Amino acid sequence: MKSFITCLLLLFVGINFCTAQDTTVLLSPALFDKTTDQILIGAKDGWYFKAGNDTDWAKRDIDITGWKKMKPTELSVKMADKNGKVQGWFRLKIKLDESFKNISLGLNTSTWAASDVYLDGQWLGSSGNTGSNGAPFKENRIRNGLPIQIDLSAGKEYIIALHVVDYVSPFPPARLQSENSGLPLLITLTGPKFSLIREANFIKWNIYPTIWNSVCAVLSLLFWLLYIQNPKEKNLLLIALCVTFFTLNGFCNNAGGRSSDLSYVSNRLVSYGTNLFGALMFIMIPLILAIVFKRKVTVYLKLFLIVFVLVCNSAIFWPSSIIVPIAVFALFGVCIYYIISFWKHLRGAQWAIVAGIMLTLFWSLLYLINGNGTTEFPFALLYITGIVLSIPLGLLVYVSLRFKEIIKEVRENAQQVLQLSEEKKEHALHQQKILQEEVNRQTAEIRTTLDNLKATQSQLIQSEKMASLGELTAGIAHEIQNPLNFVNNFSEVSNELLDEMKDEFKKGDTKEGFAIADDIKQNLEKILHHGKRADAIVKGMLQHSSSGSGKKEPTDINKLADEYLRLAYHGLRAKDPRDAAHKSFNATMKTEYDESIGNINIIPQDIGRVVLNLITNAFYVVNERCKQNITGYEPTVEVYTKKEGNKVFISVKDNGNGIPQKILDKIFQPFFTTKPTGQGTGLGLSLSYDIVKAHGGELKVETRENEGSTFIIQIPINTTI
């Protein structure tokens, strides 16, 4: 009986001894992953694990009785001690088949856990610091480092020992840091092409995100500048916020995914920033659609957007590959609902936003169909570029087209103002004739007639102001068209450059790609410059058209005179009945400004009307003389400013036919005009004379028949009204 029990015990011990021996894993070149040139030996059967730390466990021939069969990829939080620490050793016996001759190999670890790698008891290298050398624990922050080169012979058995130290993540849910990062404890056998493949991927996945982030950052700056200059445009605010969140999301994503010097906690916070800015970026899209389509932002939409943000930001603590994509597609479903419900009313610039959203969905579907959620397939970066840039570029096109529509509306309104002004002029002339006849026939009712005349005079004054505004607006519409053309042209060129840049990167010519990127940046700077130029013109128009406060303010008289010189010129050309390509009127403009004048206290709207009226009259008279077809005659208008003592002089000179001496004393009288019927009210010079007198100044004229005239505005520098 005792012999039988003894045999059973020996048999039990023998079985345990056999099961506790290293199991050899045979490796062959056929196991290499073609896309990464590595074999994931960390997921192979044959690994043994023992908790604790003893460097003797790295030796080749040791008794591993009591060791547990477990792969490095199966390390979990359940094995952590009360301090949240997991420490232990893994062992694996490998053997290379005869096909491994003359193949350069290496060992690579990629995880947040710290590890020491041994081969047949010899230390090869460490990732992070496990604390075995007496130094404090340090997590592995370089997860894309070079592999450890090893010299293995075909047909020979080797023992790989891996000492691992990991900690529980401080962020919920309770997992090891290596589990929470999406990178389990990995150890791979690398081939000769591994480093080249990794370096190529590293370069590729740094160049493209840099381009995406740069484009979004420049667009973000452009939209913020446009909004600051046009704060009443709420759609510009939403667009600026959307593209800003695009930029921040890309920055965080690039920093968290590519940076090798961030701690685990910093990396998790950057990942949180990626989720947060991504969620904010997406919720801006339906809000932009609601504003652009003039739809009400309902309570249900607000609740949905709040839930969307919460779902996206909870993904960092409870990672899921299903919930976030479902939430994103649900949000795009809301956008599609807005588009379909507003489809019949889509007009002009609104199509640009719709196109951006549709292109994003199109590229996303292509990406999912061709790559099945991975990036290792042809044109992957092209698809991602389309996904990232479709909406920002669509918003850029929308803003450009919207400004074009606004300019068109301004031009149409200006034309209506001109037409209304002409009608009022004709009506005023008719009324004046009737009043004159009534005065001649009914002297007994002279008081009533004079009252009517005063009322008519007020109406004519307003008509004159409207005519001035119409001419000014026509000139401004012409001025704005130039910067708008620049904006459109540079936008189209930038789009073509992006296509060229993609082609260069596909060819591998990164130098040419970066050069094209610099060209795109210069184009965007030019777009910004001409956008500011258009904004300054619009502000000038608004300032002129407003009634003003009637108070003096410091004004650059040189700048004021120069602006009205150009606007009066384009205003007169705008009234030419022929098309813009065949304008008959041209004139030479000469200026000479005294820079020592600086700013003087005047009412800029009033003095501006005086200067505009004098310059407009000057262009009119040189145009009339030009129609006489005088040989060698060149129509010229000159504007000068000069400071003498405490007075400022503004001179407007023309080389027209001059003013006859017999009517010289009448030119400042109300209703007196030398223009044909319907082309002047006779109030321009009269109003100008009164405005200058109200400033304490004087309006004079010097003229010679057949040589021209010079109108001189004299304004005291220190005057009060």
Side-chain angles (χ1 to χ4, degrees), residues 351-363:
W351 281 105
I353 297 180
V354 174
I357 294 174
M358 292 301 185
L359 282 173
T360 300
L361 290 174
F362 170 75
W363 289 113

Side-chain angles (χ1 to χ4, degrees), residues 606-619:
D606 291 348
I607 296 299
R609 291 190 181 102
V610 174
V611 173
L612 178 63
N613 184 67
L614 296 180
I615 295 175
T616 302
N617 287 344
F619 280 125

Side-chain angles (χ1 to χ4, degrees), residues 107 109 115-119 122-126 148 160-162 187:
L107 283 175
T109 57
S115 61
D116 301 316
V117 181
Y118 293 81
L119 182 67
Q122 297 296 319
W123 176 81
L124 296 181
S126 299
I148 302 170
I160 297 175
L162 186 65
I187 179 168

Side-chain angles (χ1 to χ4, degrees), residues 310-359:
L310 294 176
V311 168
C312 290
N313 285 282
S314 65
I316 191 172
F317 301 116
W318 291 275
S320 171
S321 59
I322 301 297
I323 297 178
V324 173
I326 290 176
V328 172
F329 276 100
L331 183 135
F332 271 95
V334 173
C335 297
I336 297 300
Y337 167 75
Y338 270 118
I339 294 172
I340 294 175
S341 62
F342 197 73
W343 188 264
K344 295 182 180 179
H345 305 285
L346 285 174
R347 296 291 184 274
Q350 296 170 343
W351 281 105
I353 297 180
V354 174
I357 294 174
M358 292 301 185
L359 282 173

Side-chain angles (χ1 to χ4, degrees), residues 28 71 88 103 138 166 301 325 396 403 554 661-662 701:
S28 67
K71 307 172 187 175
I103 297 180
K138 184 178 180 181
D166 200 359
L301 177 60
L396 174 64
F403 270 99
Q661 289 294 325
K662 62 182 179 180
V701 60

Side-chain angles (χ1 to χ4, degrees), residues 74-116:
E74 295 174 342
L75 199 67
S76 71
V77 70
K78 297 178 181 179
M79 306 172 69
D81 59 19
K82 62 180 181 179
N83 297 320
K85 180 180 180 180
V86 175
Q87 180 171 224
W89 283 77
F90 288 93
R91 287 174 58 90
L92 176 69
K93 181 184 289 186
I94 62 171
K95 181 179 180 181
L96 308 184
D97 68 6
E98 297 299 328
S99 304
F100 270 101
K101 290 183 178 179
N102 300 322
I103 297 180
S104 177
L105 300 175
L107 283 175
N108 183 61
T109 57
S110 180
T111 177
W112 281 105
S115 61
D116 301 316

Side-chain angles (χ1 to χ4, degrees), residues 47-329:
W47 284 94
Y48 286 87
F49 173 79
K50 186 174 183 180
N53 182 24
D54 187 344
T55 54
D56 289 338
W57 294 346
K59 295 180 179 179
R60 178 178 178 85
D61 298 318
I62 64 171
D63 183 7
I64 61 172
T65 302
W67 287 53
K68 178 182 178 182
K69 278 191 174 183
M70 190 176 78
K71 307 172 187 175
T73 55
E74 295 174 342
L75 199 67
S76 71
V77 70
K78 297 178 181 179
M79 306 172 69
D81 59 19
K82 62 180 181 179
N83 297 320
K85 180 180 180 180
V86 175
Q87 180 171 224
W89 283 77
F90 288 93
R91 287 174 58 90
L92 176 69
K93 181 184 289 186
I94 62 171
K95 181 179 180 181
L96 308 184
D97 68 6
E98 297 299 328
S99 304
F100 270 101
K101 290 183 178 179
N102 300 322
I103 297 180
S104 177
L105 300 175
L107 283 175
N108 183 61
T109 57
S110 180
T111 177
W112 281 105
S115 61
D116 301 316
V117 181
Y118 293 81
L119 182 67
D120 285 345
Q122 297 296 319
W123 176 81
L124 296 181
S126 299
S127 298
N129 197 318
T130 61
S132 298
N133 55 3
F137 168 81
K138 184 178 180 181
E139 62 197 6
N140 176 32
R141 299 185 183 182
I142 304 177
R143 298 180 307 284
N144 294 315
L146 296 175
I148 302 170
Q149 297 300 316
I150 56 176
D151 185 15
L152 302 181
S153 301
K156 184 178 177 181
E157 293 182 345
Y158 296 91
I159 296 294
I160 297 175
L162 186 65
H163 176 213
V164 177
V165 178
D166 200 359
Y167 279 87
V168 178
S169 170
F171 300 96
R175 293 184 179 180
L176 295 179
Q177 291 185 169
S178 55
E179 289 182 299
N180 232 12
S181 66
L183 292 173
L185 183 57
L186 301 180
I187 179 168
T188 61
L189 185 69
T190 64
K193 299 179 181 179
F194 173 79
S195 296
L196 294 176
I197 294 174
R198 171 172 283 184
E199 182 179 0
N201 287 333
F202 181 81
I203 294 174
K204 178 173 64 175
W205 285 103
N206 274 276
I207 291 177
Y208 275 84
T210 300
I211 295 173
W212 302 333
N213 294 341
S214 299
V215 172
C216 290
V218 172
L219 291 179
S220 175
L221 177 61
L222 171 64
F223 291 139
W224 277 115
L225 290 174
L226 289 175
Y227 171 68
I228 291 172
Q229 296 163 4
N230 303 274
K232 293 183 179 180
E233 295 291 333
K234 299 303 180 185
N235 55 343
L236 280 179
L237 174 60
L238 293 178
I239 290 172
L241 286 172
C242 181
V243 180
T244 299
F245 292 144
F246 258 94
T247 305
L248 294 174
N249 170 265
F251 174 79
C252 291
N253 186 55
N254 198 33
R258 307 296 166 195
S259 179
S260 61
D261 58 353
L262 291 179
S263 66
Y264 176 80
V265 173
S266 298
N267 185 275
R268 296 297 290 165
L269 292 176
V270 169
S271 297
Y272 178 75
T274 301
N275 285 30
L276 175 62
F277 293 126
L280 295 176
M281 165 189 75
F282 280 119
I283 68 173
M284 287 294 108
I285 299 173
L287 292 177
I288 291 173
L289 289 177
I291 295 297
V292 172
F293 294 167
K294 298 179 180 179
R295 301 290 295 273
K296 183 179 179 181
V297 180
T298 64
V299 176
Y300 297 106
L301 177 60
K302 293 179 181 178
L303 291 175
F304 171 76
L305 296 180
I306 292 173
V307 171
F308 177 83
V309 173
L310 294 176
V311 168
C312 290
N313 285 282
S314 65
I316 191 172
F317 301 116
W318 291 275
S320 171
S321 59
I322 301 297
I323 297 178
V324 173
I326 290 176
V328 172
F329 276 100

Side-chain angles (χ1 to χ4, degrees), residues 513-559:
F514 280 118
I516 295 175
D518 291 337
D519 293 340
I520 295 173
K521 181 178 180 181
Q522 293 176 2
N523 287 351
L524 292 174
E525 291 174 351
K526 292 176 181 177
I527 291 173
L528 175 61
H529 168 73
H530 292 289
K532 287 183 177 179
R533 179 182 167 194
D535 178 71
I537 294 171
V538 172
K539 286 182 177 177
M541 182 194 69
L542 294 175
Q543 184 179 18
H544 177 80
S545 62
S546 63
S547 60
S549 62
K551 295 182 180 179
K552 291 182 178 181
E553 59 187 64
T555 304
D556 187 342
I557 201 69
N558 293 334
K559 183 178 179 182

